[in-house]
Amino acid sequence: MHDVYQFVSGPLAWAAFGLFVGGSLYRIAAMILLARRKDVQVFEYMSLRYALRSILHWSVPFMSVNMRQRPVMTVVTFLFHLCLILSPLFVLGHVVMFDTSFGFSWPALPDQLADAMTLVVVAACLFFLGRRLSLAEAQYVTSFSDYAILALVAAPFITGFLAYHQFLDYQLMLVLHIVSGEAMLVAIPFTRLSHMLFAPFTRAYIGSEFGAVRHARDW
Amino acid sequence: MYSNGSTMTREPVQDDGLALGLARLTPERIAATTQAFLKEETGARLQVYLDTCVHCGLCSEACHYYLSHDKDPSYSPVGKVNQTILQLVKKNGRVSPEFIGQAARVAYTECNLCRRCSMYCPFGIDIAYMVGLVRRLCFKLGVTPKYLQDTVNSHSATLNQMWVREDEWIDSLQWQEGEARDEVPGLRIPLEKEGAEIMYSVIGPEPKFRTQLIYQAAVIMHAAGADWTMPATPGWDNSDMAMYSGDYELMGRLKRAHFETAMRLKVKRIVMGECGHAFRSIHDVGNRWLGWRDRPIPVIHAVQYYHELLTSGKIRIAKKYDEAVTFHDPCNIVRGMGLGDMGREVAKALTPELVEMHPNREHNYCCCAGGGVINCGPPFRNTRVSGNKIKAEQLAATGVKTVIAPCHNCHGGLEDIIHHYKLDMKIKFLGDLIYECMEKPWE
């Protein structure tokens, strides 16, 4: 098990981060180059002011009509994304690992808070699963990959929680936690998780069209 | 439970245009055309939109078809994407003629391209753009609804939407001028006046069967002392059903003819009648196809022009319209140009009370006629009438008897809804009310 741990936290981690960073840069660059060739209007009508206006209205909870119409979904989505991004970056275990490997660190979250945030992510995933299963408009457009992506996102948080609390086999959980985390990272540029990369662009573009060309609000 | 991309349940509809096109299709031809289309005419936007959409369904509440069909998910915006372009991309065009028939029906008759869903998608995905792509592909495959195609054929042959011949056009204008001169001595509908300040342009149906609108416009122009003209040549029609059928080459011809007519007449600007889709075509679709970032000549919509006439005092209001009204926000000038407040200011100047529909302005529900849907004709009349129960409820809730809609398509759509749901309401253009209520110094 130790060898496996060495492998997944060493070469595999490098590979995963490489694929995540490289893949993300590649996807964004390829998208920009393709747009330059085929979607010139995206650049032509891009307006910084209206792009930021749109991003602002959709980055602050309840600033759009749709968010106000669905308060539960809004709260869950914001908490989910906040915890999803912040807890892995600031959980003590990760900070310590970086410190040991590279000799630099940053302030970490208190363990109990990180723990709670982990549970928020898992609970939100369950909420999204329930939503997919029970809401006709989501069910209608759900395919296997939507469930797979949900599982991919939940897995590192579930295994991380189990590993931290040393439930079940600690070593195994740790390895599973690392592997699933790496899988999720790699999946970001190559699956629908790429909305993490593209959402700012799609918002900026529609915000510009609505604001600068059509003189209308888009929220 | 729904399976992904499942076929929807709809009553069969006989449309000769779709049937004729489908009869000519083979799976090989569909694949070849679709692959070439995806390669040549789509790019980063489509790819990113399909990759970014997380199938959350949050766009559903935006769609009047969805809301009017008891939240049937096959009418949701993402549901329509799922039934059409997503499958075409996934299968790289290897679909059956039946699939294309269904896709055409969804794209042409179950979406008005009103763009409301873009305001509900957390990512701001332009779903109307994707439905437009499906229409473009169907056009390339020769699968277009018969009535819509007939309108497009008229555009192609005459550069107007209604098979109006050049002499009939001139004759209609002179006829209206003659009629109006009985009421307003000295009134002219100046034809071909080079160097006039304004070229006034209308849509094909105005000379064809809403001629009184030209009469009213002439009276308003006269009262305002406007320096205006109308062209005597093709290019007078600002409408554009080719934009909605997917025939973008023809759209380019139409917009070019329109702009070039204004240039030939050396006018300072174009003022358009109360039409929504024509404004969209000129303001941000047709002009782009021709390579214009903006417009080669300033173009304003009637709402803007009326607002200008009222605020500058060129037109004065003598009396108020006799009852309270509500104001319908046409998608193409409100979501498309932010004219909701301006339209309301004009309406409020003319009426004793304006009762709002909710939601309104950019969030207003569509008339369900626009986007070329009403032009798909009788076979799909029920599709759009049953597809807009929500609008009927919205109208009824105001309790007023008059709805103002500064858009031709909205008129057609609302008229059918008002009739079908037995609402006791009249529909008015802003121009109708201005004509009725303005000061007429000659009287």
Side-chain angles (χ1 to χ4, degrees):
Chain A
M1 197 51 105
H2 188 70
D3 289 345
V4 177
Y5 174 80
Q6 287 297 338
F7 175 70
V8 298
S9 63
L12 202 60
W14 280 107
F17 275 101
L19 280 170
F20 166 60
V21 175
S24 298
L25 290 175
Y26 168 77
R27 284 298 311 272
I28 290 174
M31 186 267 292
I32 290 174
L33 287 174
L34 183 61
R36 278 244 170 262
R37 231 161 21 87
K38 305 289 279 293
D39 305 78
V40 281
Q41 49 185 299
V42 172
F43 297 96
E44 199 54 49
Y45 295 97
M46 198 61 94
S47 140
L48 182 66
R49 180 185 161 194
Y50 290 109
L52 293 176
R53 184 180 84 161
S54 182
I55 290 170
L56 170 76
H57 277 89
W58 287 89
S59 305
V60 178
F62 299 109
M63 240 181 141
S64 74
V65 168
N66 205 6
M67 286 195 246
R68 289 196 289 274
Q69 279 179 0
R70 299 158 179 272
V72 177
M73 179 67 176
T74 303
V75 170
V76 173
T77 311
F78 272 95
L79 281 177
F80 166 76
H81 283 97
L82 216 61
C83 295
L84 177 75
I85 294 167
L86 292 184
S87 65
L89 288 178
F90 294 102
V91 70
L92 186 62
H94 291 182
V95 177
V96 169
M97 269 185 78
F98 260 83
D99 199 16
T100 325
S101 307
F102 304 109
F104 68 92
S105 68
W106 55 89
L109 289 167
D111 272 6
Q112 276 170 341
L113 182 59
D115 217 28
M117 288 168 83
T118 306
L119 288 177
V120 166
V121 172
V122 176
C125 284
L126 287 172
F127 173 84
F128 293 142
L129 176 67
R131 204 178 159 275
R132 279 210 185 282
L133 291 169
S134 63
L135 278 189
E137 70 265 35
Q139 173 66 67
Y140 183 73
V141 290
T142 295
S143 57
F144 173 74
S145 64
D146 295 297
Y147 295 118
I149 286 169
L150 208 50
L152 203 57
V153 172
F157 290 86
I158 296 171
T159 50
F161 182 82
L162 294 177
Y164 172 72
H165 289 281
Q166 313 221 349
F167 293 140
L168 308 171
D169 182 341
Y170 172 71
Q171 284 291 332
L172 177 67
M173 279 309 137
L174 194 59
V175 167
L176 287 178
H177 171 64
I178 295 169
V179 171
S180 59
E182 289 162 350
M184 183 181 80
L185 272 185
V186 173
I188 288 172
F190 303 110
T191 65
R192 267 195 293 288
L193 293 179
S194 61
H195 67 260
M196 173 181 151
L197 311 173
F198 293 133
F201 293 94
T202 54
R203 274 253 72 89
Y205 173 60
I206 206 75
S208 302
E209 287 275 12
F210 265 81
V213 180
R214 301 183 206 144
H215 309 284
R217 294 170 299 179
D218 67 330
W219 59 87
Chain B
M1 186 175 280
Y2 304 97
S3 62
N4 186 36
S6 70
T7 52
M8 53 188 181
T9 47
R10 300 281 191 277
E11 295 291 319
V13 167
Q14 179 61 35
D15 181 280
D16 294 345
L18 297 179
L20 182 71
L22 290 173
R24 292 176 183 146
L25 288 183
T26 59
E28 294 72 36
R29 191 178 152 206
I30 296 171
T33 306
T34 306
Q35 285 160 14
F37 166 72
L38 291 174
K39 184 163 178 284
E40 285 157 20
E41 296 196 28
T42 70
R45 268 181 299 170
L46 177 62
Q47 202 184 84
V48 167
Y49 287 156
L50 292 180
D51 273 3
T52 302
C53 175
V54 292
H55 306 160
C56 63
L58 286 173
C59 54
S60 307
E61 296 282 338
C63 185
H64 48 285
Y65 281 96
Y66 170 82
L67 294 171
S68 300
H69 283 104
D70 301 324
K71 307 198 171 188
D72 176 343
S74 67
Y75 286 101
S76 76
V78 64
K80 293 172 205 176
V81 169
N82 207 40
Q83 290 168 60
T84 57
I85 192 81
L86 180 66
Q87 306 301 324
L88 286 161
V89 170
K90 262 189 183 172
K91 295 171 182 161
N92 199 18
R94 279 182 284 275
V95 296
S96 64
E98 292 70 37
F99 177 91
I100 295 294
Q102 290 281 46
R105 202 171 150 182
V106 170
Y108 284 117
T109 75
E110 293 175 6
C111 171
N112 300 93
L113 307 178
C114 80
R115 297 163 168 166
R116 191 172 190 257
C117 41
S118 292
M119 302 169 58
Y120 286 73
C121 171
F123 301 123
I125 292 176
D126 193 348
I127 299 164
Y129 160 74
M130 290 195 275
V131 176
L133 288 178
V134 179
R135 291 188 181 196
R136 172 73 170 159
L137 175 66
C138 288
F139 159 73
K140 292 195 138 197
L141 289 167
V143 181
T144 50
K146 179 183 168 175
Y147 283 79
L148 179 66
Q149 187 59 48
D150 180 72
T151 316
V152 173
N153 291 347
S154 168
H155 274 309
S156 180
T158 66
L159 295 179
N160 72 70
Q161 198 193 116
M162 290 269 146
W163 299 102
V164 179
R165 292 191 336 213
E166 221 170 315
D167 57 336
E168 290 173 341
W169 161 247
I170 297 167
D171 199 46
S172 300
L173 297 182
Q174 292 185 336
W175 165 44
Q176 288 310 305
E177 183 184 74
E179 294 274 315
R181 282 171 80 93
D182 285 346
E183 184 194 344
V184 189
L187 176 146
R188 294 297 313 272
I189 296 183
L191 281 184
E192 291 290 308
K193 183 180 170 190
E194 202 177 282
E197 192 217 335
I198 291 165
M199 177 176 102
Y200 183 62
S201 68
V202 297
I203 62 169
E206 293 206 30
K208 196 80 178 181
F209 55 79
R210 280 176 177 166
T211 349
Q212 85 282 1
L213 293 178
I214 296 176
Y215 177 115
Q216 288 174 182
V219 174
I220 293 169
M221 291 285 191
H222 181 81
D227 176 18
W228 69 299
T229 187
M230 291 183 93
T233 59
W236 55 265
D237 182 355
N238 53 31
S239 75
D240 182 1
M241 278 303 132
M243 164 176 74
Y244 286 147
S245 77
D247 188 348
Y248 298 158
E249 289 77 10
L250 178 55
M251 169 177 77
R253 274 180 63 212
L254 298 174
K255 293 308 107 174
R256 184 188 300 276
H258 189 62
F259 288 136
E260 286 184 353
T261 303
M263 307 291 232
R264 179 176 62 73
L265 290 170
K266 300 190 172 62
V267 296
K268 309 269 184 311
R269 56 180 176 157
I270 298 171
V271 173
M272 303 176 48
E274 292 179 59
C275 180
H277 92 274
F279 187 81
R280 177 190 191 130
S281 164
I282 289 177
H283 182 70
D284 65 355
V285 185
N287 59 326
R288 294 185 187 186
W289 177 265
L290 290 174
W292 287 95
R293 185 190 190 277
D294 302 304
R295 274 71 48 200
I297 178 168
V299 183
I300 60 168
H301 187 267
V303 166
Q304 291 165 292
Y305 187 59
Y306 297 151
H307 191 265
E308 179 187 314
L309 293 182
L310 289 176
T311 50
S312 65
K314 285 184 177 160
I315 289 281
R316 277 184 242 286
I317 302 304
K319 57 163 185 170
K320 294 262 184 180
Y321 180 66
D322 47 19
E323 57 180 23
V325 299
T326 187
F327 186 85
H328 169 78
D329 292 279
C331 64
N332 286 320
I333 62 164
V334 173
R335 240 181 323 279
M337 190 58 196
L339 298 184
D341 286 327
M342 223 181 239
R344 279 172 176 74
E345 282 168 31
V346 175
K348 280 179 182 163
L350 296 161
T351 57
E353 191 192 354
L354 194 150
V355 180
E356 287 288 356
M357 284 184 267
H358 296 281
N360 55 36
R361 294 186 170 80
E362 288 97 332
H363 289 271
N364 192 31
Y365 294 127
C366 174
C367 66
C368 210
V373 175
I374 195 169
N375 303 74
C376 293
F380 298 102
R381 187 181 175 279
N382 289 340
T383 305
R384 68 187 161 78
V385 173
S386 64
N388 213 2
K389 196 172 71 192
I390 190 86
K391 184 85 225 175
E393 288 163 6
Q394 203 189 22
L395 285 168
T398 62
V400 301
K401 302 282 181 217
T402 301
V403 51
I404 297 176
C407 168
H408 281 275
N409 272 328
C410 295
H411 266 241
L414 295 180
E415 200 172 306
D416 286 336
I417 288 161
I418 286 170
H419 181 73
H420 180 83
Y421 295 98
K422 302 192 169 49
L423 307 176
D424 179 21
M425 288 183 102
K426 294 182 289 292
I427 316 166
K428 297 280 185 185
F429 287 104
L430 283 171
D432 293 331
L433 264 56
I434 293 177
Y435 172 73
E436 198 179 317
C437 302
M438 71 182 188
E439 226 170 66
K440 293 171 180 162
W442 53 86
E443 275 178 356

